[in-house]
Amino acid sequence: DTGVSQNPRHKITKRGQNVTFRCDPISEHNRLYWYRQTLGQGPEFLTYFQNEAQLEKSRLLSDRFSAERPKGSFSTLEIQRTEQGDSAMYLCASSDVGSPLHFGNGTRLTVT
Amino acid sequence: KNQVEQSPQSLIILEGKNCTLQCNYTVSPFSNLRWYKQDTGRGPVSLTIMTFSENTKSNGRYTATLDADTKQSSLHITASQLSDSASYICVVGGSWGKLQFGAGTQVVVTP
């Protein structure tokens, strides 16, 4: 297992377009998290799945953001009608009970 | 106000020297404290994790300390190497399972 995988690594899009990111967690981990990180800041929590159930969503996750984890395996994060303020690194992490978070290398989104 | 404050915001040290990073938190109730290392353009990688009953934990040249009474933690890097150049993030877990991230300390190790 090569760890948490995120695709694409970089995404440049024009304002108003929709984007979708994918995260493949460590296979035996049942918990999956999405975070957003801007330059010089720590990651900010967006949402959390246990298996296929989305158990928590941050207030940061506006109506334009939606995340899914069908079948409790990979997850997707979609941003509709992107805005320049959405430009950030989007990090995915997975964990099992009692284990630390294992992060992917993120998807860097630039909205022009 | 962030419940996890890290200092300094950044520091530059000479290769081979030691340095100490600080983390103060107000998260309550407290469950655990983690230090992560984040290289530029990469995701954070766990260095140490301590529960409230642990005072110190080491991982190679990295040593973390925790004082749950004063709500302070430190990360000491011994004999720094160029590869230690990264952001070091303090993460505090509350008893309800929610994690609070600090903004990180940016460390630059120069030859």
Side-chain angles (χ1 to χ4, degrees):
Chain A
D1 194 307
T2 57
V4 178
S5 177
Q6 292 189 246
N7 288 288
R9 288 298 313 277
H10 305 274
K11 178 70 177 180
I12 300 173
T13 190
K14 292 186 177 180
R15 187 163 49 103
Q17 298 295 305
N18 300 343
V19 294
T20 299
F21 311 141
R22 177 178 170 125
C23 171
D24 288 272
I26 293 173
S27 56
E28 59 266 29
H29 286 177
N30 56 18
R31 298 179 178 182
L32 187 147
Y33 306 77
W34 284 99
Y35 288 86
R36 181 172 66 188
Q37 186 178 29
T38 54
L39 197 63
Q41 299 298 316
E44 295 174 296
F45 171 77
L46 292 179
T47 189
Y48 156 59
F49 290 86
Q50 179 142 337
N51 299 313
E52 67 274 12
Q54 188 173 19
L55 297 186
E56 190 174 351
K57 290 171 61 174
S58 164
R59 288 173 295 173
L60 293 174
L61 216 64
S62 75
D63 293 344
R64 298 184 296 107
F65 287 70
S66 63
E68 294 182 346
R69 192 183 183 196
K71 304 178 183 178
S73 55
F74 72 91
S75 176
T76 57
L77 177 68
E78 181 184 15
I79 309 174
Q80 296 181 326
R81 304 181 302 282
T82 53
E83 302 173 355
Q84 286 188 316
D86 297 332
S87 296
M89 173 80 88
Y90 289 85
L91 291 164
C92 176
S94 70
S95 73
D96 203 350
V97 176
S99 76
L101 294 179
H102 293 259
F103 283 88
N105 286 324
T107 293
R108 179 163 295 285
L109 173 66
T110 302
V111 181
T112 62
Chain B
K1 189 180 187 310
N2 197 346
Q3 297 183 59
V4 181
E5 298 286 346
Q6 292 189 242
S7 61
Q9 187 174 7
S10 63
L11 69 97
I12 301 173
I13 59 172
L14 288 175
E15 186 178 12
K17 297 297 186 182
N18 305 335
C19 68
T20 300
L21 317 180
Q22 299 292 340
C23 174
N24 296 339
Y25 63 92
T26 58
V27 176
S28 182
F30 166 85
S31 175
N32 56 72
L33 187 144
R34 313 156 188 225
W35 282 94
Y36 281 81
K37 177 187 179 188
Q38 185 174 23
D39 293 315
T40 302
R42 314 277 289 189
V45 174
S46 178
L47 293 176
T48 63
I49 178 169
M50 292 180 290
T51 64
F52 64 88
S53 62
E54 295 176 289
N55 300 119
T56 185
K57 183 155 292 183
S58 291
N59 178 356
R61 294 178 298 99
Y62 301 103
T63 299
T65 65
L66 172 65
D67 186 334
D69 291 330
T70 61
K71 299 186 176 181
Q72 296 179 323
S73 176
S74 66
L75 180 70
H76 187 75
I77 305 175
T78 302
S80 60
Q81 299 177 359
L82 297 179
S83 60
D84 293 331
S85 295
S87 177
Y88 292 83
I89 303 174
C90 175
V91 185
V92 180
S95 294
W96 60 93
K98 187 166 289 186
L99 300 179
Q100 299 285 346
F101 286 74
T105 292
Q106 186 68 44
V107 174
V108 174
V109 181
T110 63

